[in-house]
Amino acid sequence: MTGKPKNRKSHSLRRRVPKRRAQAPLREALLMIDRLGSKGDGVAPLDGGEIIVPGALPGEEVRVSHNAQRGRVEEVLRASPERVDAICVHYGACGGCQTQHMRAEAVAAWRQQSLEDVFARAGFTDIRFLPVLTSPLASRRRARFSAERVKGKVMVGFNQRSRHEIVDIPDCVVLHKDVLAARELIASMVDLLARPEVPRFSALVTLLENGLDIDLVGREEDSLSLAQREGLGALLADSNVVRLTLEGQLFFQKEVPLISLAGFLVPFPAGGFLQASREAEMALQDYVLENCGGGPALDLYAGCGTLALPLAKTRAVHGVEIAGGAVDALAFVAKHHRSRLKQLTVQARNLEQEPLRPEELAKYETIILDPPRGGAAAQIREIAASAMRHVIYISCNPKTFARDAKVLHAAGFVMGAVQLVDQFRFSAHIELAACFNRG
Ligand SMILES: C[S@@+](CC[C@H](N)C(=O)[O-])C[C@H]1O[C@@H](n2cnc3c(N)ncnc32)[C@H](O)[C@@H]1O
């Protein structure tokens, strides 16, 4: 356990009990579903507009109870041939998955169409897709649970879709078993720490090489009594947790939390980024290795080195990243595993405010970018203005990816086939990767 952190303001108590909006009374309607929306929900015409009907498929006739925006399926009167039984017992109640009621082919077709629509809006009409690389069931090594103590009982799970209520998910099919098992410990921690005015918590759980890394959000260490600190310490001493942070502040650490990336054991920083499944991490590494030139490479938004480390075994790599913890982790590997690396250098830099300029880019043969959801607008402008010829762009947001691709296209880059990596099984989220080259 750590000592009391100094000079931190406590906002915890005031914002814990969320406001519940007054619900308008629901109406009933019979609807014909027209199409699937961007999140995989059915969309149906109603009263001159459209409403969203989760769990309904195009061509289906459904009886729903609804408000102005959303309908809940009460009965499927005519089912689509694309409808299948969900494989998870929590499906429908739990908001974690959205597409289990569709045949896999229908999901693939819907996904491709939604991506084509996004790209078409950015001016791309002839996108080619490589076969999707899908992570297996029970492979998600990172999850954010919601937890709440209500009437003396603690629930730990995911929120219902667009709602506040938590669904317990003991049989979730997407989470790694060790992440799923963490729910019990989280329930004990929340039972210990919850108060009437602070009933609700969230817990980000990440499965590392030497245990679970948990960030519990709900109460800061300063607000805990001595008995609560001791109780928490006892729970953790007996667990497979390697680190617990409370609202991002270190509370407990058994040993240095480690993640293995490309065969290197990397000290994993609190709050660090990790691809959601090991299989997706390896798929992205393979993609980058296959498409990267043999000369010096620049890994922008490098995180802890998922992409930089496999490349740096055989070519010089410079990683750039904003988060100090990730930069330190990568610098640690560069220093302590020098003999296994051709060359690895690291730089802390905010690429939105201070993107690498064309003269800095000129040292490299290939640029790899893997930005957060907002994309890499400022950096892409510099790449477009440079003489660079080879870019590998990985993204978790098709909209910002297409926006940035349009800038590269206008600067003479040609986009290759798009590789999809489905590491968020049964959700609307998808990872994309593509190469951009110009002569
Ligand atoms: C999607 S993650 C990719 C990390 C890494 N490539 C991986 O696969 O593990 C995006 C990374 O960008 C970093 N980042 C976010 N905003 C940034 C900025 N303005 N400048 C530099 N890095 C940033 C985040 O800290 C995070 O590590």
Side-chain angles (χ1 to χ4, degrees), residues 21-333:
R21 272 190 240 141
Q23 302 269 323
L26 294 179
R27 291 189 289 146
E28 282 236 333
L30 291 184
L31 299 176
M32 271 296 285
I33 306 299
D34 252 3
R35 61 185 174 87
L36 291 174
S38 61
K39 294 190 172 144
D41 298 324
V43 179
L46 181 72
D47 299 340
E50 284 188 326
I51 71 163
I52 305 285
V53 187
L57 296 173
E60 289 191 330
E61 197 179 340
V62 287
R63 185 168 62 77
V64 298
S65 44
H66 69 95
N67 59 21
Q69 294 87 33
R70 298 173 76 81
R72 186 178 63 216
V73 176
E74 302 294 349
E75 191 180 357
V76 179
L77 299 167
R78 197 175 67 226
S80 160
E82 309 293 7
R83 180 172 285 281
V84 291
D85 290 335
I87 58 168
C88 180
V89 291
H90 310 301
Y91 188 66
C94 168
C97 292
Q98 283 90 50
T99 61
Q100 282 191 26
H101 62 292
M102 289 187 232
R103 280 198 314 127
E105 295 78 0
V107 175
W110 155 73
R111 191 179 305 285
Q112 178 153 339
Q113 187 58 56
S114 334
L115 290 172
E116 279 172 0
D117 292 348
V118 170
F119 279 112
R121 284 195 283 279
F124 295 93
T125 50
D126 53 355
I127 301 294
R128 282 180 302 121
F129 292 98
L130 297 170
V132 185
L133 301 171
T134 304
S135 295
L137 297 176
S139 66
R140 279 282 293 272
R141 59 182 170 179
R142 165 159 257 226
R144 184 177 292 284
F145 294 113
S146 298
E148 185 166 17
R149 189 169 71 185
V150 187
K151 294 183 187 148
K153 185 170 182 286
V154 179
M155 296 279 280
V156 182
F158 291 139
N159 283 6
Q160 283 182 22
R161 186 92 186 274
S162 309
R163 297 186 63 161
H164 187 67
E165 284 79 10
I166 297 170
V167 181
D168 199 5
I169 48 159
D171 299 307
C172 171
V173 297
V174 295
L175 296 182
H176 187 286
K177 66 175 178 34
D178 293 352
V179 174
L180 196 54
R183 286 166 40 264
E184 273 185 35
L185 176 68
I186 293 164
S188 304
M189 292 200 281
V190 168
D191 201 29
L192 184 71
L193 304 187
R195 294 194 303 214
E197 71 280 19
V198 192
R200 191 142 180 136
F201 289 71
S202 78
L204 177 63
V205 178
T206 308
L207 177 61
L208 299 179
E209 248 50 60
N210 49 351
L212 296 175
D213 187 17
I214 301 182
D215 182 41
L216 190 66
V217 175
R219 291 195 56 188
E220 295 173 331
E221 187 180 351
D222 310 35
S223 72
L224 306 189
S225 67
L226 182 60
Q228 284 173 324
R229 284 167 200 239
E230 286 177 354
L232 205 46
L235 283 174
L236 292 162
D238 223 14
S239 75
N240 62 344
V241 172
V242 63
R243 171 172 56 202
L244 175 73
T245 47
L246 296 178
E247 308 234 339
Q249 301 294 321
L250 184 62
F251 178 81
F252 165 92
Q253 185 168 304
K254 207 176 269 176
E255 52 194 68
V256 176
L258 296 169
I259 186 71
S260 170
L261 295 172
F264 297 94
L265 278 178
V266 180
F268 189 69
F273 176 87
L274 199 59
Q275 299 294 342
S277 76
R278 170 72 74 191
E279 291 77 4
E281 168 192 306
M282 289 167 68
L284 293 170
Q285 288 172 335
D286 287 349
Y287 180 85
V288 169
L289 279 169
E290 266 166 39
N291 290 290
C292 189
L298 182 61
D299 181 15
L300 301 178
Y301 306 90
C304 295
T306 302
L307 308 173
L309 288 171
L311 290 172
K313 289 176 182 173
T314 49
R315 54 178 74 59
V317 178
H318 184 60
V320 184
E321 161 64 46
I322 195 171
V327 171
D328 290 348
L330 211 42
F332 176 91
V333 181

